[in-house]
Amino acid sequence: MAQMPSRPRSHVIEDASETAFRVLFGSDDWIIRRLTDDYGRDLEVELFEDGHATGILFGVQLKAIDKQPRKGRIGVAGIKASSLNYWRSLAYPVMVAAYSVPADQFFARWAHGYDWHHKSHTAVCTAECTNGPKTVTFNYGQIHRLTSDAIARLPEHLLFFRAAREGDLRNRPMPVHIDGESVDGHALASVEQQVRRLGETTGHVHVVGPDQLAVRLTYSRSTIRAVLPGDMRSATIHLHPGVYADPQGHVSLAADGLATLCQLFIGLKADSRAADLMITIAPHSLVLFLTDFPKVVGPELVEMGREDVVDVLAAEELRRRLLR
């Protein structure tokens, strides 16, 4: 028999990943559409309620992997930075779903949740951490398993993402839950009290308990991290050891927690009212003036038409230099 073309294994497992994904989202609550144009998204998924479209969407990039997870972990290397930038520019979140064909298991992370600028918030920033590498790696663990329980929580997470994307923090204060540990001797309770004072008096932020759906603001000795429900978007600020040791350090910690929240919303290209909060916290913040944070958010503020915030930060930095 004459030799005929064979089908590449990569095509086989790619088709297997799409079939498995459709089975996983097999209820009438989800409509899955195959995208014909290849811009780094394979599928578009829409939430339906009682048979009616909701307009609540998310994109999916499928990554089929022909190997077993190792100790419950799996990785996808070589994701183009250009693709990641494109996904993050979209109005809806994009799920990067890794499918282990031998294990018949899906793992999922959100492109919007990739903390692109986290390295640029350290004291020294190289050209690579400012501009970013050409490719990135998505690592998955057991917490990223895409199960039926995780899918059941998706609707509320998608609704929250859309509300955060709209960014109207004046008319609809954003719920925030605070957790973590003490920093430089300042108890988390005292920091939370200051977050309430700074955030709630402006009407932008409402601190809530752990049982409510909210942005999670987590303090540790080395970072402050703000995360949307479902890890759909995150922002991280890296701290300098000991800089909050001053008796008023809890006030600065609160301001810098809100700065992390501001970065989260500004990165979402949300309503510019999120930038108003930066003006309120500028006199109390340390991270705004000890790191490259302004270099990261500055261009985004200008793009939003908020040069006034950039001017406030520059004036505050000049005031502090004169006081030294």
Side-chain angles (χ1 to χ4, degrees):
M1 180 177 179
Q3 187 174 3
M4 303 293 280
S6 60
R7 191 181 184 204
R9 176 64 178 169
S10 60
H11 292 183
V12 174
I13 63 176
E14 285 170 8
D15 286 350
S17 68
E18 182 175 342
T19 299
F21 189 89
R22 290 181 180 276
V23 170
L24 196 58
F25 281 81
S27 75
D28 294 337
D29 295 334
W30 305 99
I31 297 298
I32 300 174
R33 305 181 182 98
R34 177 77 186 179
L35 297 179
T36 56
D37 53 346
D38 184 14
Y39 292 106
R41 290 168 298 153
D42 297 312
L43 308 171
E44 185 177 80
V45 184
E46 182 172 1
L47 175 66
F48 272 60
E49 292 181 349
D50 299 324
H52 298 286
T54 64
I56 299 172
L57 307 165
F58 68 94
V60 181
Q61 171 63 38
L62 295 170
K63 296 291 185 181
I65 301 173
D66 210 3
K67 62 181 180 181
Q68 292 274 1
R70 188 173 182 180
K71 296 182 178 180
R73 298 178 177 274
I74 204 163
V76 176
I79 295 176
K80 293 181 180 178
S82 58
S83 297
L84 182 59
N85 286 330
Y86 172 66
W87 296 332
R88 287 162 60 90
S89 73
L90 297 174
Y92 61 58
V94 174
M95 176 187 288
V96 184
Y99 178 61
S100 168
V101 177
D104 189 23
Q105 291 180 355
F106 263 106
F107 298 79
R109 292 185 65 178
W110 298 97
H112 280 78
Y114 184 85
D115 189 8
W116 184 253
H117 288 303
H118 70 95
K119 290 183 180 179
S120 61
H121 294 157
T122 55
V124 178
C125 183
T126 64
E128 180 178 285
C129 75
T130 299
N131 301 321
K134 293 183 179 180
T135 62
V136 300
T137 298
F138 271 38
N139 294 308
Y140 302 82
Q142 282 298 328
I143 62 171
H144 302 115
R145 279 286 309 279
L146 187 58
T147 62
S148 56
D149 288 342
I151 293 171
R153 294 191 296 270
L154 258 182
E156 63 178 5
H157 293 168
L158 290 166
L159 284 167
F160 197 100
F161 180 91
R162 186 162 73 172
R165 182 85 180 190
E166 292 171 358
D168 191 350
L169 297 183
R170 180 172 296 154
N171 299 322
R172 181 168 48 189
M174 184 55 61
V176 175
H177 170 63
I178 299 171
D179 61 15
E181 59 186 359
S182 63
V183 179
D184 289 343
H186 298 288
L188 189 65
S190 64
V191 176
E192 179 176 330
Q193 184 179 14
Q194 292 300 319
V195 171
R196 290 179 184 273
R197 186 179 68 81
L198 290 173
E200 295 187 358
T201 54
T202 62
H204 294 325
V205 174
H206 176 53
V207 179
V208 300
D211 57 334
Q212 298 187 46
L213 198 67
V215 180
R216 188 172 72 253
L217 190 61
T218 303
Y219 286 84
S220 75
R221 286 173 291 179
S222 59
T223 62
I224 306 175
R225 190 163 186 257
V227 185
L228 289 180
D231 285 341
M232 286 191 168
R233 176 77 184 200
S234 66
T236 303
I237 290 178
H238 292 255
L239 307 181
H240 292 248
V243 298
Y244 300 101
D246 183 270
Q248 293 299 307
H250 62 296
V251 179
S252 295
L253 279 165
D256 290 346
L258 292 173
T260 315
L261 188 66
C262 289
Q263 187 207 345
L264 179 69
F265 283 95
I266 292 169
L268 278 170
K269 312 299 183 187
D271 188 293
S272 67
R273 292 180 181 88
D276 293 340
L277 191 55
M278 294 190 72
I279 296 176
T280 301
I281 66 175
H284 311 286
S285 174
L286 292 179
V287 77
L288 290 179
F289 308 102
L290 291 177
T291 70
D292 286 330
F293 184 94
K295 294 180 182 178
V296 173
V297 300
E300 294 174 312
L301 288 168
V302 171
E303 186 179 337
M304 294 167 66
R306 294 306 303 267
E307 292 88 347
D308 59 320
V309 182
V310 178
D311 292 341
V312 167
L313 296 180
E316 176 62 22
E317 184 173 19
L318 177 60
R319 184 187 72 83
R320 295 185 184 204
R321 287 180 180 176
L322 294 174
L323 289 175
R324 288 174 187 168

